[in-house]
Amino acid sequence: MPMETERLLLRRFTQNDVIAAHELFSDEEAMRLDGMYPPFTKLKETEDRINSWIHSEKHLAIELKETGELLGYIAIHPDSEEGREDTRELGFALVSRYRGKGYMKEAISVLLRELVKYNITYVWACCFKENTASERLIRSLGFEFQQAGVFDSPNDKRYESLEFRIKLRTE
């Protein structure tokens, strides 16, 4: 389901994205804040991840339409807590040099509008407590704080997390 905004194209990943995606997946801070620590040190690791995402509708590349540059990704997963068909969980990450320009807000906004068409009622978004930029973004999109939690990173440590939810439509 490719989606467009004025500046962005959200699309499936392709093999051509590997080199550009490596900038993100090798970024220590980005991968720590995304719960995918440690960062990749080898291009082959990024290639394997992109290959696993190429046929997935859950992981979408965020491309700058004007230049074709890969800015990051957005992920939309099934509900992992209750298995609700009308609920999804949001994940996202941007290459550091593209942060603070409104790209992720634009990408998530178009994705939320698209999810309504698929009868999705609720979307959850979580971030680590220390990730104040993601918290501000999530709140600015209309997500409401639900609870604090913890995330046990498989390769790192335990993080305090903040869990937010937005209601897209009435049931």
Side-chain angles (χ1 to χ4, degrees):
M1 67 174 151
M3 292 167 262
E4 285 190 51
T5 69
E6 185 177 322
R7 302 183 295 169
L8 305 174
L9 175 63
L10 277 63
R11 57 162 177 81
R12 285 190 179 184
F13 277 90
T14 71
Q15 188 66 39
N16 295 332
D17 293 319
V18 171
I19 292 172
H22 192 63
E23 181 179 354
L24 176 63
F25 295 133
S26 64
D27 181 318
E28 186 164 344
E29 179 187 18
M31 292 300 93
R32 186 178 56 77
L33 292 175
D34 202 32
M36 294 195 298
Y37 193 85
F40 292 161
T41 57
K42 297 179 177 89
L43 188 61
K44 175 74 169 117
E45 294 169 302
T46 298
E47 182 177 20
D48 290 346
R49 175 161 295 153
I50 295 302
N51 283 338
S52 74
W53 288 2
I54 285 175
H55 301 291
S56 169
E57 289 188 1
K58 292 186 284 188
H59 297 93
L60 298 172
I62 302 170
E63 177 184 305
L64 188 60
K65 284 189 338 189
E66 185 177 319
T67 64
E69 292 172 85
L70 181 72
L71 308 184
Y73 75 89
I74 193 164
I76 194 74
H77 297 282
D79 179 22
S80 67
E81 297 290 322
E82 299 173 8
R84 289 179 57 136
E85 291 294 322
D86 69 341
T87 302
R88 295 293 182 270
E89 297 174 2
L90 179 68
F92 53 87
L94 275 182
V95 171
S96 61
R97 61 192 161 101
Y98 296 114
R99 295 181 197 142
K101 299 177 183 348
Y103 293 130
M104 191 55 74
K105 186 171 187 175
E106 197 172 314
I108 293 171
S109 294
V110 73
L111 177 66
L112 294 176
R113 286 192 300 274
E114 186 71 14
L115 289 174
V116 171
K117 298 176 188 175
Y118 292 90
N119 296 319
I120 302 302
T121 302
Y122 298 103
V123 178
W124 287 85
C126 301
C127 65
F128 294 160
K129 187 175 181 181
E130 68 187 83
N131 191 347
T132 55
S134 285
E135 180 184 354
R136 275 192 313 274
L137 169 65
I138 290 166
R139 287 182 185 274
S140 75
L141 287 159
F143 284 80
E144 295 179 358
F145 179 75
Q146 300 296 306
Q147 63 195 18
V150 292
F151 177 80
D152 290 314
S153 177
N155 302 315
D156 191 10
K157 61 180 186 176
R158 176 176 260 204
Y159 291 92
E160 291 181 59
S161 65
L162 303 174
E163 300 177 10
F164 299 86
R165 187 180 73 181
I166 191 169
K167 186 172 187 177
L168 300 178
R169 61 187 191 88
T170 57
E171 296 179 75

